[in-house]
Amino acid sequence: MSEPYDVITMGRIGVDLYPLRTGVPLARVETFGKFLGGSPANVAVAAARLGRRTAVVTRTGRDPFGTYLRDRLRAFGVDGRWVGADDTYPTPVTFCEIFPPDDFPLYFYRLPKAPDLELRPGELDLDAIRAARVFWMTGTGLCAEPSRSATLAALRARGRAGLTVFDLDWRPMFWGGPEDDGPHPDASARYREALAHATVAVGNLDECAVATGEREPYAAARALLAAGVELAVVKQGPAGVLAVHRDGTAVDVPPLPVDVVNGLGAGDAFGGALCHGLLAGWDLARTVRYANAAGAIVASRLACSSAMPFPDEVDAALAAGAVTASVPAVLQPDPSGGEGN
């Protein structure tokens, strides 16, 4: 077998169509940028930008958008050998609205079903997944069959070896039922099943509540550790990031100041940088500060995948103690003020 990958991610992929102006409702948007999207794909890109050898396990439609995603992965230096093409379902697209600093509604078009939920256990290269230094999976992969069985098969193959990361990635619209009725009855149980195989869990407060029933950061971290992981990373938005290791190490890192353009890709940049720091053997505080800076840089930019920072950019942000970026004219707020959001 060839040299193991630094990072293999598994799960969602699609085309992001983002407005090229901020503060404009989708009904009034006339021009969009097209980007590679989907959290696992973005994490692979983020880690590749930091010099890591990465690959993604996913599936697109057999259509021009699928071709576009394969081309973009290749351009970003992510191995796409395990990106299948589905003859039944089209490649999904996602639209967003951009209302800085903290309102970025997402509209997923993944019906009748996304190809990445058609991943099957028998298609997986379990030897490569087992050998990867980091294996990264997400909660979305647990929301439907056969993806659920494939994700759990990959986790079982890992046997809690190396760094097995569960990105809690709670997207209620993927689990069926009204979004305001709380978690799907199955979701918390599925999350607990996956946590038993993971060594690292990463999620925001809403995601931690789905996985553990706890929203208070320290209580959520303790619950994640009790569920089986070695490291719990709780993202607190404007309050920063809490990371607690089973050995008792705990760090609570404040956010890096940034003028937010689009916050949607920040968590994926954080994830790729977290993998980088853990693989480098850095201490927990340095790792989380570095991941925070990577996320802040992407929050200052429009896109997700193409916005992922290079090492010198992260180093510069850390040295400056803030992210400073000018917003291109095409991304300036709509002068009419929009029509609400």
Side-chain angles (χ1 to χ4, degrees):
M1 192 174 74
S2 62
E3 185 71 16
Y5 287 85
D6 290 322
V7 181
I8 293 179
T9 68
M10 179 177 177
R12 193 168 75 252
I13 194 170
V15 175
D16 286 347
L17 296 173
Y18 286 177
L20 294 181
R21 295 191 72 88
T22 65
V24 182
L26 273 181
R28 294 180 48 231
V29 173
E30 296 183 352
T31 55
F32 295 85
K34 182 176 68 172
F35 306 97
L36 178 147
S39 182
N42 286 337
V43 170
V45 170
R49 280 272 170 96
L50 298 173
R52 296 298 175 177
R53 182 169 179 251
T54 71
V56 60
V57 180
T58 189
R59 188 188 289 254
T60 72
R62 196 179 297 277
D63 52 32
F65 276 157
T67 301
Y68 165 77
L69 293 174
R70 287 176 180 76
D71 289 346
R72 295 311 297 154
L73 286 171
R74 188 179 308 112
F76 287 130
V78 177
D79 194 327
R81 69 179 63 192
W82 296 302
V83 181
D86 194 274
D87 292 316
T88 302
Y89 301 112
T91 301
V93 297
T94 302
F95 291 87
C96 81
E97 293 178 304
I98 303 175
F99 295 98
D102 58 3
D103 188 17
F104 309 102
L106 282 168
Y107 301 87
F108 292 96
Y109 291 80
R110 291 168 57 88
L111 297 173
K113 189 179 186 181
D116 53 67
L117 294 176
E118 283 292 291
L119 288 169
R120 299 175 185 276
E123 300 168 347
L124 301 179
D125 186 339
L126 293 179
D127 288 338
I129 289 172
R130 189 180 296 112
R133 300 176 70 195
V134 176
F135 176 65
W136 180 288
M137 46 73 63
T138 78
T140 297
L142 302 172
C143 75
E145 291 289 4
S147 172
R148 179 185 300 138
S149 292
T151 302
L152 291 172
L155 288 172
R156 286 192 290 267
R158 291 284 292 178
R160 295 177 57 80
L163 294 163
T164 301
V165 184
F166 182 5
D167 175 2
L168 301 180
D169 184 42
W170 171 240
R171 306 285 181 173
M173 67 287 293
F174 298 162
W175 288 81
E179 293 183 28
D180 57 358
D181 280 355
H184 185 282
D186 222 15
S188 296
R190 300 298 182 184
Y191 273 49
R192 288 193 297 271
E193 185 176 3
L195 282 169
H197 299 283
T199 61
V200 181
V202 182
N204 61 32
L205 295 177
D206 288 338
E207 293 164 342
C208 288
V210 173
T212 70
E214 300 286 354
R215 286 189 57 86
E216 192 281 323
Y218 279 89
R222 289 192 295 269
L224 289 169
L225 295 176
V229 304
E230 299 295 315
L231 174 63
V233 181
V234 181
K235 295 184 285 187
Q236 306 173 73
V241 178
L242 170 68
V244 181
H245 195 277
R246 183 174 296 279
D247 67 8
T249 304
V251 297
D252 204 336
V253 177
L256 207 64
V258 58
D259 290 329
V260 174
V261 173
N262 183 359
L264 291 174
D268 301 334
F270 180 97
L274 178 72
C275 292
H276 178 65
L278 292 174
L279 288 172
W282 296 343
D283 65 61
L284 192 55
R286 180 183 179 186
T287 298
V288 176
R289 283 197 299 269
Y290 192 91
N292 250 355
I297 290 169
V298 173
S300 74
R301 300 170 175 175
L302 170 67
C304 294
S305 53
S306 61
M308 297 301 168
F310 292 96
D312 60 325
E313 295 176 305
V314 183
D315 291 340
L318 287 169
V323 175
T324 56
S326 59
V327 182
V330 73
L331 292 180
Q332 294 297 338
D334 180 36
S336 71
E339 295 181 6
N341 52 304

